[in-house]
Amino acid sequence: MTGSLFKGNFWTSDILSTIGYDSIVQHLNNGRKNCKEFEDFLKERASIEEKYGKDLLSLARKKPCGQSETNTLKRALEVFKQQVDNVAQSHIYLAQTLREEARKMEEFREKQKSQQKKTELIMDAAHKQKSLQFKKTMDAKKNYEQKCRDKDEAEQAVHRSANMANPKQQEKLFVKLATSKTAVEDSDKLYMLQINTLDRVRNEWQSEHIKACEVFEAQECERINFFRNALWLHMNQLSQQCVTSDEMYEKVRKSLEMCSIEKDIEYFVNQRGTGQTPPAPIMYENFYCPQKNAAPGKATGPNLARRGPLPNPKSLPDPKKPHQNEDIDCMLITSM
């Protein structure tokens, strides 16, 4: 804290001017405005964090994400959903923290406003008294100067009437001169009284101005320090949020490291396996000549591509022997 810059650099040569004081007050008002802007920023950031947290929370709890997975990958997904839930909760907590910081900024701003108002009331009264006394002093000065001019004119009139023969006229001029001298003396006393009063009022105003400068400078130092620390804390809160989120995501990474492809495959086989024996080949069965001992996997059905010439019968069939016809039909079918 400097402690002396304000009171040494906001004076003016014009006794009625308040430009230096007004400059300081305007600066303090702008400072409180800046605090209000940051306060509003924190509130809006809190709303954003809260909405994001709630949306993320809804996503983690309501949206399916690999719900039919099994074994180690299922456990990793459960950790993932839980940590996303935790991240969402941390953003909601951050929103509450930011609102608390905004409330502290508002309290600080209102406290400074109240302190400044007290000093301003004292200074407004000092400015008003100084201006009023200055006006009285200037009026007394004008009256004194006018009385002096009246006395000078009376003296000149007496000198011009030195050779006048009318004694009554000369007496009248002497009376006017004496009266004007008395008026000059009275106006001079009043003028001096007003000058002394103005000097006292000016000293009082000057003392109050110095006090106000010291109070305002202390307030501004406090405000800058508070604002700087609040912004620093805000950055720490955001950094901590990133660290917290990363710690939660690291737990998901750790759970994924425990995920075993082999175990998950083995688990699935053990839980859902249906047997180790494949189905047997489907054998060809001739409708006319069932073959009981056909070779497995070899179809004995007709094959047009490998069909040989029709064999000549050794003897003509005897119509009286029906069984002979059946044998020939069977031979024809198997040769096809």
Side-chain angles (χ1 to χ4, degrees):
M1 187 178 296
T2 55
S4 62
L5 289 178
F6 277 21
K7 71 179 182 181
N9 292 279
F10 289 93
W11 301 102
T12 58
S13 58
D14 183 359
I15 192 173
L16 294 179
S17 176
T18 60
I19 186 172
Y21 170 81
D22 294 340
S23 178
I24 297 175
V25 170
Q26 183 61 46
H27 181 71
L28 296 183
N29 292 340
N30 289 339
R32 285 202 312 277
K33 180 182 176 183
N34 294 336
C35 289
K36 180 64 167 61
E37 291 174 351
F38 183 65
E39 174 189 328
D40 293 340
F41 179 90
L42 290 177
K43 290 178 180 178
E44 290 190 28
R45 178 64 187 264
S47 298
I48 293 171
E49 291 289 343
E50 183 177 51
K51 183 179 185 304
Y52 174 71
K54 289 183 176 179
D55 289 346
L56 193 60
L57 197 63
S58 177
L59 176 66
R61 295 182 178 181
K62 297 180 181 180
K63 187 69 174 178
C65 183
Q67 61 182 351
S68 63
E69 277 297 342
T70 60
N71 207 38
T72 63
L73 184 55
K74 178 182 180 180
R75 290 194 290 272
L77 283 169
E78 290 173 350
V79 173
F80 164 69
K81 293 290 289 290
Q82 181 59 52
Q83 295 311 315
V84 171
D85 188 292
N86 291 341
V87 170
Q89 296 283 7
S90 69
H91 279 279
I92 294 174
Y93 176 75
L94 176 60
Q96 297 172 350
T97 301
L98 295 181
R99 288 194 177 95
E100 178 63 20
E101 293 305 316
R103 185 190 63 78
K104 291 178 182 178
M105 178 63 75
E106 181 180 10
E107 289 180 352
F108 174 79
R109 182 171 53 81
E110 290 299 323
K111 183 191 73 172
Q112 285 219 322
K113 181 180 179 180
S114 177
Q115 292 174 343
Q116 180 178 334
K117 189 65 177 178
K118 292 178 182 179
T119 303
E120 285 186 25
L121 290 174
I122 295 173
M123 288 302 297
D124 288 345
H127 288 151
K128 184 177 181 180
Q129 187 178 11
K130 181 187 63 172
S131 297
L132 181 61
Q133 185 57 42
F134 179 80
K135 184 179 183 304
K136 289 182 178 180
T137 302
M138 292 301 100
D139 290 343
K141 180 182 179 183
K142 289 179 181 178
N143 182 62
Y144 165 70
E145 290 175 345
Q146 183 60 47
K147 297 304 180 182
C148 288
R149 285 191 288 270
D150 292 344
K151 181 181 73 70
D152 291 343
E153 290 177 2
E155 287 179 346
Q156 292 175 4
V158 169
H159 288 308
R160 285 195 299 269
S161 65
N163 299 323
M164 292 178 61
N166 190 342
K168 289 185 178 181
Q169 187 69 26
Q170 285 184 336
E171 183 180 358
K172 186 177 179 180
L173 291 175
F174 277 111
V175 171
K176 185 177 181 179
L177 176 59
T179 302
S180 64
K181 287 181 178 181
T182 301
V184 166
E185 291 176 357
D186 292 341
S187 63
D188 182 57
K189 291 178 180 179
L190 180 60
Y191 177 37
M192 287 297 298
L193 177 63
Q194 296 298 341
I195 284 289
N196 292 333
T197 303
L198 177 60
D199 191 57
R200 177 181 58 79
V201 170
R202 184 190 63 82
N203 285 329
E204 291 175 355
W205 161 79
Q206 182 171 316
S207 176
E208 292 300 333
H209 179 82
I210 292 173
K211 291 179 182 178
C213 287
E214 291 174 343
V215 170
F216 289 161
E217 184 169 352
Q219 274 194 285
E220 182 62 1
C221 290
E222 183 183 15
R223 186 193 69 83
I224 293 174
N225 184 61
F226 187 88
F227 200 163
R228 172 186 174 275
N229 291 342
L231 191 57
W232 190 287
L233 178 61
H234 182 52
M235 293 300 99
N236 286 344
Q237 290 167 342
L238 298 183
S239 295
Q240 183 59 48
Q241 177 61 41
C242 294
V243 172
T244 301
S245 297
D246 188 65
E247 289 175 351
M248 294 173 181
Y249 297 145
E250 180 63 20
K251 293 179 180 179
V252 179
R253 289 190 287 266
K254 292 292 186 182
S255 69
L256 290 172
E257 290 176 355
M258 301 300 294
C259 179
S260 170
I261 299 174
E262 293 79 6
K263 289 182 179 180
D264 284 5
I265 295 296
E266 182 180 353
Y267 180 85
F268 171 72
V269 170
N270 292 334
Q271 293 293 318
R272 303 294 180 85
T274 58
Q276 297 180 346
T277 305
I282 305 300
M283 306 305 296
Y284 169 76
E285 297 180 1
N286 189 280
F287 183 77
Y288 297 99
C289 301
Q291 297 181 5
K292 299 180 179 180
N293 299 320
K298 293 184 179 180
T300 59
N303 188 341
L304 297 179
R306 297 181 180 181
R307 184 175 181 180
L310 183 66
N312 295 322
K314 295 181 180 181
S315 61
L316 293 175
D318 187 351
K320 296 180 179 180
K321 297 180 179 180
H323 296 290
Q324 185 179 359
N325 291 336
E326 292 179 0
D327 293 339
I328 292 173
D329 290 340
C330 185
M331 291 174 61
L332 291 174
I333 290 174
T334 54
S335 63
M336 291 178 62

